[in-house]
Amino acid sequence: MKSLEAEGQALAKGPLQIQFLENTPINGYGFTSFQDKLNEIDLYPLKPTGIEIFQINLGKMCNQVCKHCHVDAGPDRKEIMTRETMDACLNAIEESGAHTVDLTGGAPEMNPDFRYLVEKLSGLGKKIIVRCNLTIIVANPRFHDLPDFFKKHKVEVVSSLPYFTAVKTDSQRGEGVFEKSIHALKKLNAVGYGMEQSGLILNLVYNPSGAFLPPNERDLKLQFQKKLRDKYGIYFNELFTITNLPISRFLDYLVKSDNYEAYMEKLIERFNPTAAHNVMCRNTISVGWDGFLYDCDFNQMLDLKLDIPDPHLNNFRRETFNIRNIVTNNHCFGCTAGAGSSCGGAISG
Amino acid sequence: MKTYYNPQDLKKFGNIGEFQKGLAEKFFDYYGETFKDGALTAREKSLIALAVAHTLQCPYCIDAYTTDTLEKGCDEEQMMEAVHVAAAIRSGSTLVHGVQMMNKVKDLSM
């Protein structure tokens, strides 16, 4: 399987996705836009609450090609953050006052300067999160020591595992991914990750493997805990349930499977004002592999840059950032449906 | 009306109150309360509903509770086992009446 970009698909391009999200009628009719919904609850324009989380996308290269990937990542993607841009990130992180740095990709570990950045961040005393796809740990001998490296720098590991069975996991993330993920989880457990009183945090992420919304986070965590412990002897800390946003590869899937209208209708129907108040873009900044700044990783993939003059790391000013209007569009319904969704899971009970 | 069943009609279920508001309100209150977490979890109730939907062979209910069980974290294997429970009860119910047939045969036979 190739990325949409490599296949030259129209929906690989952010502006075309936006055009589609704005103009495609639902069941033959227009619909309430996300902006209108925010207006209804006096939340438009959406404003930030301060920078707590500094999320960095280290590049789009990945050893997997997941069917729902909003980054359209894969082995054929060559966009990768340079060490120079990482240094600019480090300066901006200090300027921002963020307490947490969230590293994502692609597979962030595939960036040749990944360890350089983690070591520098560790020196700054920041909480570090790595969004690890698990299979990278067992993909190549040069990654086999990642669990020890993570442990050394007290990195919080957040890993996708859409279900506790191979069928559902592999249908979303690729053939054989479940078995490799189990292998990698055992390696993380072996150095203490997810184990009681180790202080080493291993959180799992559930994404629905289809056109439906995630289950209740607490209930699903209990199922995952029991199944993974009883069958594989695997332990973890929290389970985050994340809604698939209708962009990039998941949007392509929705359109091709004729599920787009019903899915968007469901997201809109289940708009939750409490979730809207708690969306992650209010306390997060997202940096692209090339140093451009965004309100979130989803906006990044749609090429919706921060609504400030010259939105690049080189011109980062905390004051400008904190008074901006957050850029929203209809994909944002994905973060406000039902219990809401963020990189840290559900955002409203 | 071209067909008796239209998937879009499922979304209009709430409209039954247009013709009889009071009873519809009582029904939907009762319905909502029934499916909340209780002595059984909402997930268990959803699987029961899926099985019953198949017994009733109601396309609206099958549509609604296939989605609902997925959104309650069930997988395909669990869902199909629920349908087999419904099927087993239906076939068992047919077969157990075979005893009645046997009784009658014995009554009529020498």
Side-chain angles (χ1 to χ4, degrees):
Chain A
M1 187 170 154
K2 288 181 177 175
S3 64
L4 297 177
E5 182 73 26
E7 287 179 346
Q9 301 262 5
L11 285 178
K13 305 295 179 198
L16 288 176
Q17 293 177 56
I18 291 294
Q19 204 179 335
F20 185 89
L21 288 163
E22 286 181 341
N23 300 322
T24 306
I26 293 177
N27 293 325
Y29 299 99
F31 56 93
T32 310
S33 70
F34 190 74
Q35 180 178 326
D36 290 340
K37 280 281 186 190
L38 289 186
N39 263 322
E40 284 173 14
I41 57 167
D42 292 327
L43 204 58
Y44 187 83
L46 191 62
K47 302 296 283 186
T49 53
I51 307 174
E52 295 180 55
I53 300 165
F54 197 101
Q55 190 174 61
I56 309 173
N57 193 304
L58 295 183
K60 298 184 179 181
M61 189 181 286
C62 191
N63 59 318
Q64 292 183 194
V65 191
C66 301
K67 283 184 187 166
H68 69 303
C69 182
H70 71 279
V71 180
D72 193 23
D76 57 42
R77 300 303 297 263
K78 306 301 176 204
E79 301 92 330
I80 203 111
M81 184 175 276
T82 62
R83 187 176 284 213
E84 188 187 4
T85 306
M86 287 178 184
D87 287 335
C89 281
L90 291 164
N91 291 335
I93 288 164
E94 292 212 271
E95 160 80 15
S96 75
H99 53 68
T100 298
V101 180
D102 186 344
L103 304 178
T104 186
E109 303 89 341
M110 290 178 83
N111 185 307
D113 292 314
F114 168 75
R115 295 185 194 224
Y116 164 80
L117 181 60
V118 171
E119 283 162 4
K120 288 283 184 187
L121 290 169
S122 184
L124 291 176
K126 299 292 177 187
K127 175 181 169 183
I128 308 165
I129 297 173
V130 170
R131 294 189 183 266
C132 172
N133 71 13
L134 294 175
T135 62
I136 193 70
I137 293 173
V138 294
N140 184 300
R142 72 191 162 104
F143 298 120
H144 287 178
D145 68 332
L146 277 171
D148 290 313
F149 177 76
F150 291 152
K151 179 180 180 177
K152 183 180 173 190
H153 297 287
K154 295 191 168 48
V155 168
E156 181 176 315
V157 177
V158 178
S159 295
S160 282
L161 190 73
Y163 210 66
F164 40 77
T165 62
V167 174
K168 278 182 102 70
T169 301
D170 291 1
S171 74
Q172 183 187 89
R173 299 177 71 76
E175 193 65 36
V177 165
F178 182 75
E179 197 182 329
K180 289 176 192 164
S181 299
I182 292 295
H183 188 191
L185 285 168
K186 286 181 176 171
K187 285 180 173 291
L188 286 163
N189 278 173
V191 301
Y193 271 98
M195 310 306 280
E196 262 183 59
Q197 297 178 333
S198 69
L200 298 170
I201 304 298
L202 170 60
N203 294 328
L204 297 182
V205 171
Y206 164 95
N207 282 87
S209 43
F212 52 93
L213 296 186
N216 176 283
E217 198 167 70
R218 184 197 64 228
D219 294 347
L220 193 65
K221 179 188 168 185
L222 295 176
Q223 281 194 72
F224 264 68
Q225 273 179 326
K226 185 173 185 337
K227 298 282 183 181
L228 291 177
R229 184 192 61 220
D230 293 354
K231 192 159 184 188
Y232 304 102
I234 285 170
Y235 296 85
F236 64 94
N237 296 96
E238 295 300 328
L239 178 76
F240 300 150
T241 55
I242 299 186
T243 303
N244 292 316
L245 260 68
I247 70 167
S248 192
R249 241 176 251 163
F250 189 68
L251 176 60
D252 184 65
Y253 153 77
L254 289 174
V255 173
K256 287 180 177 158
S257 63
D258 202 22
N259 276 307
Y260 174 74
E261 292 183 37
Y263 190 74
M264 280 306 288
E265 192 174 26
K266 178 174 286 190
L267 295 183
I268 295 167
E269 271 174 10
R270 301 217 191 158
F271 177 79
N272 175 351
T274 307
H277 279 274
N278 295 328
V279 282
M280 65 179 176
C281 49
R282 303 190 81 184
N283 69 350
T284 303
I285 183 170
S286 164
V287 184
W289 66 275
D290 50 2
F292 280 100
L293 303 173
Y294 306 84
D295 295 294
C296 72
D297 205 46
F298 300 111
N299 278 8
Q300 186 181 139
M301 300 315 149
L302 293 169
D303 201 23
L304 296 173
K305 295 186 175 72
L306 278 196
D307 184 17
I308 58 171
D310 204 0
H312 193 274
L313 271 179
N314 296 337
N315 308 293
F316 182 79
R317 293 278 178 282
R318 187 175 177 175
E319 310 80 60
T320 323
F321 181 85
N322 281 336
I323 58 167
R324 79 196 195 278
N325 292 337
I326 293 171
V327 179
T328 59
N329 209 299
N330 295 329
H331 62 293
C332 303
F333 278 118
C335 287
T336 58
S341 182
S342 74
C343 289
I347 49 181
S348 141
Chain B
M1 186 186 289
K2 290 178 183 170
T3 60
Y4 285 107
Y5 286 117
N6 180 347
Q8 295 302 320
D9 285 348
L10 177 57
K11 286 176 226 153
K12 300 175 188 165
F13 188 15
N15 298 352
I16 62 164
E18 282 177 20
F19 282 12
Q20 223 297 357
K21 189 164 180 274
L23 288 175
E25 282 175 358
K26 284 182 193 303
F27 168 76
F28 285 117
D29 283 350
Y30 162 74
Y31 193 97
E33 202 62 37
T34 298
F35 279 92
K36 284 182 182 168
D37 275 320
L40 295 174
T41 64
R43 182 176 167 278
E44 289 164 341
K45 289 177 182 182
S46 186
L47 279 168
I48 293 170
L50 182 71
V52 173
H54 281 78
T55 303
L56 295 173
Q57 296 179 346
C58 165
Y60 299 122
C61 311
I62 292 171
D63 183 339
Y65 282 95
T66 298
T67 307
D68 193 65
T69 44
L70 285 170
E71 292 185 348
K72 294 278 188 304
C74 302
D75 68 8
E76 289 85 339
E77 195 177 1
Q78 294 164 343
M79 291 158 69
M80 188 56 86
E81 281 189 19
V83 174
H84 275 289
V85 170
I89 290 294
R90 282 202 81 139
S91 55
S93 144
T94 302
L95 285 170
V96 75
H97 284 80
V99 178
Q100 203 173 350
M101 174 271 286
M102 289 166 72
N103 290 341
K104 186 69 181 174
V105 167
K106 285 171 188 168
D107 284 347
L108 296 174
S109 304
M110 286 186 284

